[in-house]
mmCIF file of all heavy atoms in Angstrom:
data_model
loop_
_atom_site.group_PDB
_atom_site.id
_atom_site.type_symbol
_atom_site.label_atom_id
_atom_site.label_comp_id
_atom_site.label_asym_id
_atom_site.label_seq_id
_atom_site.Cartn_x
_atom_site.Cartn_y
_atom_site.Cartn_z
ATOM 1 N N SER A 859 16.720 -32.481 -63.042
ATOM 2 C CA SER A 859 16.909 -33.345 -61.876
ATOM 3 C C SER A 859 18.391 -33.359 -61.534
ATOM 4 O O SER A 859 19.240 -33.374 -62.418
ATOM 5 C CB SER A 859 16.427 -34.765 -62.177
ATOM 6 O OG SER A 859 15.029 -34.773 -62.362
ATOM 7 N N TRP A 860 18.700 -33.353 -60.231
ATOM 8 C CA TRP A 860 20.079 -33.206 -59.788
ATOM 9 C C TRP A 860 20.412 -34.293 -58.780
ATOM 10 O O TRP A 860 19.708 -34.496 -57.803
ATOM 11 C CB TRP A 860 20.249 -31.844 -59.130
ATOM 12 C CG TRP A 860 21.635 -31.321 -59.121
ATOM 13 C CD1 TRP A 860 22.741 -31.936 -58.614
ATOM 14 C CD2 TRP A 860 22.080 -30.064 -59.624
ATOM 15 N NE1 TRP A 860 23.850 -31.140 -58.773
ATOM 16 C CE2 TRP A 860 23.467 -29.986 -59.389
ATOM 17 C CE3 TRP A 860 21.437 -28.994 -60.239
ATOM 18 C CZ2 TRP A 860 24.225 -28.876 -59.739
ATOM 19 C CZ3 TRP A 860 22.184 -27.903 -60.591
ATOM 20 C CH2 TRP A 860 23.567 -27.835 -60.351
ATOM 21 N N TYR A 861 21.535 -34.974 -59.003
ATOM 22 C CA TYR A 861 21.978 -36.065 -58.145
ATOM 23 C C TYR A 861 23.379 -35.770 -57.624
ATOM 24 O O TYR A 861 24.253 -35.376 -58.387
ATOM 25 C CB TYR A 861 21.953 -37.388 -58.917
ATOM 26 C CG TYR A 861 20.572 -37.645 -59.475
ATOM 27 C CD1 TYR A 861 20.259 -37.271 -60.779
ATOM 28 C CD2 TYR A 861 19.589 -38.197 -58.676
ATOM 29 C CE1 TYR A 861 18.979 -37.464 -61.281
ATOM 30 C CE2 TYR A 861 18.301 -38.394 -59.177
ATOM 31 C CZ TYR A 861 18.003 -38.024 -60.464
ATOM 32 O OH TYR A 861 16.733 -38.196 -60.952
ATOM 33 N N GLY A 862 23.575 -35.935 -56.335
ATOM 34 C CA GLY A 862 24.865 -35.661 -55.702
ATOM 35 C C GLY A 862 24.978 -34.251 -55.161
ATOM 36 O O GLY A 862 26.049 -33.839 -54.727
ATOM 37 N N ILE A 863 23.878 -33.501 -55.156
ATOM 38 C CA ILE A 863 23.912 -32.107 -54.709
ATOM 39 C C ILE A 863 24.406 -32.012 -53.258
ATOM 40 O O ILE A 863 23.946 -32.741 -52.390
ATOM 41 C CB ILE A 863 22.520 -31.445 -54.871
ATOM 42 C CG1 ILE A 863 22.559 -29.945 -54.586
ATOM 43 C CG2 ILE A 863 21.473 -32.112 -54.004
ATOM 44 C CD1 ILE A 863 23.008 -29.117 -55.722
ATOM 45 N N GLY A 864 25.393 -31.172 -53.023
ATOM 46 C CA GLY A 864 25.901 -30.929 -51.680
ATOM 47 C C GLY A 864 26.895 -31.952 -51.162
ATOM 48 O O GLY A 864 27.432 -31.793 -50.070
ATOM 49 N N GLU A 865 27.169 -32.982 -51.925
ATOM 50 C CA GLU A 865 28.126 -34.000 -51.477
ATOM 51 C C GLU A 865 29.530 -33.571 -51.867
ATOM 52 O O GLU A 865 29.756 -33.115 -52.979
ATOM 53 C CB GLU A 865 27.804 -35.356 -52.108
ATOM 54 C CG GLU A 865 26.522 -35.964 -51.581
ATOM 55 C CD GLU A 865 26.585 -36.239 -50.102
ATOM 56 O OE1 GLU A 865 27.442 -37.024 -49.667
ATOM 57 O OE2 GLU A 865 25.768 -35.666 -49.367
ATOM 58 N N VAL A 866 30.465 -33.702 -50.947
ATOM 59 C CA VAL A 866 31.857 -33.335 -51.223
ATOM 60 C C VAL A 866 32.758 -34.522 -50.929
ATOM 61 O O VAL A 866 32.403 -35.412 -50.162
ATOM 62 C CB VAL A 866 32.291 -32.086 -50.415
ATOM 63 C CG1 VAL A 866 31.550 -30.859 -50.894
ATOM 64 C CG2 VAL A 866 32.059 -32.279 -48.935
ATOM 65 N N ASP A 867 33.922 -34.517 -51.545
ATOM 66 C CA ASP A 867 34.886 -35.601 -51.381
ATOM 67 C C ASP A 867 35.830 -35.306 -50.230
ATOM 68 O O ASP A 867 36.039 -34.157 -49.862
ATOM 69 C CB ASP A 867 35.724 -35.769 -52.655
ATOM 70 C CG ASP A 867 34.890 -36.190 -53.839
ATOM 71 O OD1 ASP A 867 33.843 -36.820 -53.622
ATOM 72 O OD2 ASP A 867 35.293 -35.897 -54.976
ATOM 73 N N GLY A 868 36.440 -36.351 -49.741
ATOM 74 C CA GLY A 868 37.490 -36.187 -48.752
ATOM 75 C C GLY A 868 37.028 -36.486 -47.343
ATOM 76 O O GLY A 868 35.869 -36.303 -46.993
ATOM 77 N N VAL A 869 37.953 -36.911 -46.548
ATOM 78 C CA VAL A 869 37.661 -37.290 -45.170
ATOM 79 C C VAL A 869 37.300 -36.081 -44.319
ATOM 80 O O VAL A 869 36.399 -36.127 -43.497
ATOM 81 C CB VAL A 869 38.878 -38.030 -44.568
ATOM 82 C CG1 VAL A 869 38.650 -38.354 -43.109
ATOM 83 C CG2 VAL A 869 39.181 -39.281 -45.363
ATOM 84 N N ASN A 870 37.988 -34.975 -44.508
ATOM 85 C CA ASN A 870 37.787 -33.814 -43.643
ATOM 86 C C ASN A 870 36.883 -32.751 -44.237
ATOM 87 O O ASN A 870 36.766 -31.667 -43.701
ATOM 88 C CB ASN A 870 39.144 -33.184 -43.307
ATOM 89 C CG ASN A 870 40.018 -34.132 -42.529
ATOM 90 O OD1 ASN A 870 39.539 -34.811 -41.633
ATOM 91 N ND2 ASN A 870 41.292 -34.205 -42.879
ATOM 92 N N GLN A 871 36.248 -33.037 -45.342
ATOM 93 C CA GLN A 871 35.379 -32.058 -45.975
ATOM 94 C C GLN A 871 33.929 -32.495 -45.840
ATOM 95 O O GLN A 871 33.605 -33.656 -46.052
ATOM 96 C CB GLN A 871 35.704 -31.923 -47.454
ATOM 97 C CG GLN A 871 37.077 -31.403 -47.733
ATOM 98 C CD GLN A 871 37.339 -31.329 -49.228
ATOM 99 O OE1 GLN A 871 36.660 -31.946 -50.026
ATOM 100 N NE2 GLN A 871 38.335 -30.564 -49.599
#
Side-chain angles (χ1 to χ4, degrees):
S859 293
W860 204 304
Y861 304 95
I863 187 82
E865 291 298 299
V866 292
D867 296 333
V869 176
N870 297 318
Q871 296 179 342

